[in-house]
Every structure is written in C-alpha cells, then in structure tokens.
Amino acid sequence: MRLLLRTFERMTAPSPKSSSAATPARRRVLSGLGGGAASAVATVSGASRASARIAVAPGGFPNITVPATTTDPVLHLLRRATFGPSPALVSEVRAQGATAWLDAQLAPATVADTTMDAVLTRWPRLGWKTWEVRERLEGGDTWTVMNDLLESHLARALFSRRQLLETVVDFWTNHLVVPVPSSEVWDSAHLFQRDVIRKYALGKYSDMLNAAARHPSMLKVLDNADSTKKAPNENYGRELLELHTVGVGNFTEADVKMSALALTGLSVDSESGLYSYKPQRRYVGTVKVLGWSDPNTVPENGSAVATLYLNYLAAHPATATRIATKLATRYVSDTPPASLVTQLAQVYLANGTAIAPVLRALFLSPEFAASAGQKVRTPYEDAIASCRILGLTPEPVPASGVTSDLRSLSWLTGTFGQAPMGWPAPNGYPDVAAAWNGASSTLNRWNFHLSLAGNWTLKAMTRPDVATLVPAPLPSTYAVLVDALATKLLISLTTAQRDAICRFVDHAPGDALTAGAAAVTWRLPSIVALLLNSPNFLTR
C-alpha cells in the first residue's frame, strides 16, 4: 500500500500553478470510498491509481453498494437489456414506454436499423458458403473470415438499435460455444453465428439445438464429426447433456454413452465442409437416455431419431430450469430467486421452448424490478458500454478495407480477459461478478477508460470531445462540475464519491471553478475515466 501511495503521489503531483497545500488530498482520494486497493500498479495511469480505492468495494466487486441511479426503472432495464444506455436511448424509451420498447426489441425485425445495415456491408465475406471460404482462402489467410465475424460481432454490440437481440446473441454464443478464432472452424464459424445463433436467438431453443447439432462448427469442435458406431466419441454426447440441456446431476455415465450413440452419423463432408448425415457410421439398436428411448433400427433414419432425441432434451424440465437459471443469471442476479427461475421454466415449457416469451416474463417480473444493482458488467460489456456512453461512431472504411479499430477493440478485450467468442472451453465465460475482480483485468480496463476518454485509442471511431460533457455556462464549483459530468454519463454519485474526485484534481468540492482550469482542460479525461472506473458505472 505504501508503494501505491508513493506512486500515486508522483503520478498526480500538482502542476506549477497548483497549491502545494492540496497534496494531502491526493492521499484522501484513496480512502474516499473505502475498499481494498489492487496490488499490481506498475503500468497504471494516475487516474487508474486513484480508482484503486474509488472503484473496488471491500471484498471485490460483488459487494458494490447499489448506486441510486439504478433504481430508475428505465435505466435499470437499459443497463440489462442493452450493452449500455445512452442519454438519447433513455429519452427514446421514456417517450415510447418501457414495455412498448421491450416488445419491439423482442420482435427485432420491426426495429429499423439502417446504420447497422450499412455498416454490415463492409464484410461481404460473411455471406460466403463454407466451400467458398475454402476455395478462396485455403493456402492463404485462413483467419480472414473469422476476423470479419469478430469485427461485425463487436460492431453490432456497439451500434445496433436491436440491442436486446445483441445481448441475447451474446448469451447464446456463450452457451453453445464455438471458439473463434480456431483452426477447426475457420471456414464455418460465421455461418454458425448466422444460421444457428442469430436465426434462433429469440425463437425456439429446440430449433437452435437441432441446428447446432447439424452444423459443421459444433460437430468439429465437439468431435462428433469423427464419431462412428465402432468408435463413438462421447464428447458431444456429454456436453449436450451437461452444458446444452439438462445439466450436471441429471444424467449418468450410461446416459452419456447412449447420447453419443444417438448422435452417430451426424457428420461433416470432408470435401465441401458442409454437414453430412452418414448412415454407414450410424449405430443401430435401441438408444435410451433419461426417460427417452427409440428402437433406432434403420441407419437411414438416424437423423430423424436424433431430432426426436434433441427435441426431447430441449423440452425436458431440467433443461427448462437450466435455461431459465442461466437467463436469470444473465439478466437479473448472480443468484437469481428460485421463484423467478420456476416461473421462467414454466413459461419456457408452456411456449414450446420459445425464448422471447421467457424474456418478456423475466423483464416484466417483480424480481427483475427488485434486482437493481445486483449485476456487474463483465469486462467485455464494460468496454462496449464505455464506447457507447462516450458516443463512438462507426469508423470510415479505410482504403485497405480493414476496420482497424474494431480489430483493436477485439484485441483489447482480450487483455481484459474476455475477447469476443474467445473462451476456449465449452462451458462459456462466467457471468458472475466474482469471476472478474482480478487486478490485471481491472487495471487494464481502467487504463482503457482513460485512453478512450482522452481519444488516445480507437481514434478512427470518432466521438464527441469530452469537453462537450461540460455544461454551459460553466458550473460554479468543482462539486457541481463532477455531478454534471456524472449525470451526462448516467451515473449517480454519493457525496463521498463526488468529493473524492474533487480532491483528485486538488480542490475542495466547494472551490470556485474557473474557465481554463485543469479540471475542464487537460485533466478532464482523467475525471471522466474515474467516473467510468466507478462501481456505479460498472453496475449492469
């Protein structure tokens, strides 16, 4: 801690025009909000060092005090159902009505998204069929289309007006995991996203599960492409039960073996890279998993038997509970109320595994309304929300055709520990706060906030200068300035938080603010970064 304090003193030393009497305030900013400081400080900026106490509550992020701003029902909805609200979006939803906005989002085709439609034309290769990717890129840059996919995925999260769809796509991408980039899916991952995840994100889970089971990406990643009656591979059969449907504790090892046999024949054509059902590989004989069974007597009918099996699993009560729990964990709480999970599972089963009715019931539930402040943004969500609140816009298409900032953002989120589609294991990124309170990830995110506020990173994606956040006429005091900046960023501060930020810029809250002051010139990006570093902004 003494090293942290000494380093902080050096990084925030007053300018020649500042009063040396303000120096003790730079120590007090570290205790303005309580909590333990992160231990790694070697490459951290001054503003990030100040955040070491401002942003981390005792015991880590799970113990964050609920900021008052999240009790606003519109803001609460938008923090959960989008990748980050903006003042303009808040105004739009207030005018439209929260329920009307939600219903439109659940029918995304009704939401005009012309800007995003235009941006998506930058990646024409995403329309290539698997065999086209192979024909055009084999022996060359085989990661090209995967990079296109990652860039477009980020662009949609940043700029699409169909925000709820994008969060649901992110949810399913993290449920039916196909890691990107990967040598196994270089020719098909973009089609898995289009034809499995996006197509069925708000539709029936049974349809999504069947589409996944017949997609080259899933069949390769979980080894079913090589599974045969003589040498059944249990990988997909196990993950189908453990991760995609009923969950741990609801099946036996005998079920896993039968599950693998029930999926034999679902494979990939080696020449085209397309899905191929291969009856010669099909196990013949009775298959029985949990309460389902089929005589399975004809190899040529194996695909139909697999469909019956997958539909059974999708509609299983344990699957309903698992999907309901995961959705409630994503949108409500790290420990969702059992009453809500039960209700959502019932809605799921009553609607034939359709997801849109489940989400509508979730967002209109009293449990959701009462959950303000109970979720924390993951590093990926933090990055997207920061870009959205600062008003970043799509970068112009450079002559090279490479959308450099989106690729850079993909890399940056990797340094936070959560690159899009980057989780290598089939269980997906964790979606609870305790998983993301490590020092390295946190400090990298803080430095990102400062670079973003200072327009020192992602510079091709233009954004309003942070000076536009300062009200006109100029606020009378430093306290009024900080409160005004927080309001523009949709953050509600406690008095202690506001006063700590004032002390960071070497002033008491009641000090008069003058034009040309450091707080509204060269130190303004640091103040904005501190606000983005705060637990108030981190709250989902």
Side-chain angles (χ1 to χ4, degrees):
M1 176 57 71
R2 285 194 294 271
L3 172 61
L4 177 62
L5 287 168
R6 288 197 299 271
T7 307
F8 181 80
E9 287 287 341
R10 290 196 297 272
M11 293 299 295
T12 60
S15 66
K17 295 182 180 180
S18 300
S19 169
S20 60
T23 298
R26 289 190 296 279
R27 289 180 182 268
R28 290 196 298 272
V29 74
L30 289 173
S31 57
L33 292 173
S39 58
V41 298
T43 62
V44 189
S45 67
S48 293
R49 286 190 177 83
S51 298
R53 286 271 183 153
I54 290 177
V56 185
F61 294 132
N63 297 319
I64 286 171
T65 301
V66 178
T69 187
T70 58
T71 61
D72 179 329
V74 169
L75 195 53
H76 174 45
L77 173 64
L78 293 180
R79 282 179 176 270
R80 300 288 175 85
T82 76
F83 274 108
S86 66
L89 182 57
V90 172
S91 297
E92 177 187 328
V93 175
R94 292 199 198 285
Q96 184 179 1
T99 302
W101 179 84
L102 174 63
D103 286 340
Q105 290 288 308
L106 289 170
T110 67
V111 178
D113 207 10
T114 53
T115 297
M116 192 66 244
D117 292 342
V119 171
L120 287 173
T121 63
R122 301 179 182 189
W123 300 282
R125 289 178 293 234
L126 293 179
W128 288 1
K129 300 178 178 64
T130 299
W131 63 264
E132 288 182 285
V133 178
R134 289 184 168 200
E135 185 177 80
R136 300 185 188 203
L137 298 180
E138 199 159 27
D141 184 1
T142 56
W143 282 31
T144 298
V145 181
M146 290 189 290
N147 284 331
D148 288 353
L149 171 61
L150 295 176
E151 291 172 14
S152 65
H153 187 76
L154 283 164
R156 289 179 193 263
L158 286 167
F159 308 124
S160 177
R161 287 177 48 78
R162 298 164 182 165
Q163 277 287 296
L164 178 56
L165 172 63
E166 294 311 313
T167 67
V168 178
V169 164
D170 187 67
F171 171 84
W172 290 122
T173 298
N174 206 44
H175 179 70
L176 299 174
V177 176
V178 169
V180 178
S182 166
S183 59
E184 293 178 305
V185 299
W186 68 276
D187 56 356
S188 62
H190 62 300
L191 300 175
F192 182 82
Q193 273 289 307
R194 186 191 72 184
D195 299 337
V196 178
I197 301 298
R198 289 191 170 275
K199 183 175 181 179
Y200 298 110
L202 292 169
K204 290 187 175 182
Y205 183 55
S206 56
D207 292 337
M208 181 184 291
L209 197 65
N210 272 281
R214 292 169 173 83
H215 199 279
S217 291
M218 184 62 71
L219 292 170
K220 287 184 176 182
V221 166
L222 292 183
D223 303 312
N224 210 75
D226 299 321
S227 184
T228 69
K229 57 188 177 185
K230 294 182 179 180
N233 189 303
E234 296 178 3
N235 196 16
Y236 186 31
R238 180 181 299 278
E239 306 302 5
L240 177 65
L241 293 169
E242 180 176 332
L243 299 177
H244 300 172
T245 59
V246 296
V248 175
N250 292 303
F251 61 90
T252 66
E253 285 300 306
D255 289 322
V256 170
K257 295 181 183 301
M258 278 290 176
S259 181
L261 294 176
L263 297 171
T264 51
L266 279 61
S267 190
V268 178
D269 178 72
S270 59
E271 183 176 358
S272 68
L274 300 177
Y275 167 74
S276 174
Y277 177 70
K278 300 180 178 180
Q280 70 275 19
R281 294 187 173 187
R282 179 70 184 181
Y283 167 80
V284 174
T286 299
V287 283
K288 181 178 181 180
V289 183
L290 303 175
W292 171 85
S293 66
D294 192 278
N296 187 42
T297 57
V298 181
E300 287 76 12
N301 292 342
S303 180
V305 173
T307 296
L308 295 174
Y309 172 50
L310 292 163
N311 287 342
Y312 168 81
L313 289 179
H316 195 284
T319 301
T321 298
R322 177 168 172 75
I323 297 299
T325 300
K326 292 193 70 171
L327 286 170
T329 300
R330 169 62 179 82
Y331 291 106
V332 179
S333 168
D334 287 1
T335 54
S339 59
L340 178 63
V341 171
T342 298
Q343 178 197 359
L344 298 182
Q346 292 171 348
V347 173
Y348 172 91
L349 293 173
N351 287 276
T353 78
I355 299 303
V358 177
L359 289 171
R360 192 176 194 278
L362 183 156
F363 286 117
L364 297 180
S365 70
E367 291 91 343
F368 175 77
S371 71
Q374 295 181 19
K375 287 297 295 183
V376 172
R377 285 174 173 147
T378 66
Y380 177 76
E381 293 167 342
D382 181 17
I384 300 299
S386 299
C387 293
R388 284 175 59 82
I389 196 64
L390 292 181
L392 271 67
T393 59
E395 62 184 284
V397 180
S400 65
V402 176
T403 48
S404 57
D405 271 5
L406 289 168
R407 193 166 300 184
S408 296
L409 183 57
S410 180
W411 178 84
L412 282 166
T413 56
T415 69
F416 309 156
Q418 198 183 13
M421 305 184 195
W423 190 256
N427 60 341
Y429 284 112
D431 194 18
V432 293
W436 300 111
N437 61 1
S440 176
S441 174
T442 301
L443 296 177
N444 282 339
R445 289 152 68 183
W446 288 346
N447 283 332
F448 172 72
H449 292 155
L450 181 58
S451 295
L452 200 63
N455 197 19
W456 305 320
T457 189
L458 307 182
K459 297 175 69 173
M461 287 196 283
T462 59
R463 78 295 307 264
D465 191 285
V466 290
T468 61
L469 295 173
V470 179
L474 191 69
S476 57
T477 67
Y478 282 81
V480 177
L481 170 67
V482 173
D483 281 338
L485 293 173
T487 298
K488 290 286 187 72
L489 298 172
L490 302 179
I491 296 170
S492 179
L493 296 175
T494 66
T495 300
Q497 289 173 319
R498 181 201 65 195
D499 293 353
I501 294 175
C502 291
R503 290 193 295 269
F504 170 70
V505 290
D506 305 324
H507 281 275
D511 286 354
L513 181 66
T514 58
V520 291
T521 55
W522 66 275
R523 299 195 79 176
L524 180 59
S526 294
I527 297 176
V528 172
L530 282 173
L531 291 166
L532 297 182
N533 296 347
S534 70
N536 313 54
F537 184 76
L538 190 64
T539 301
R540 185 202 286 167

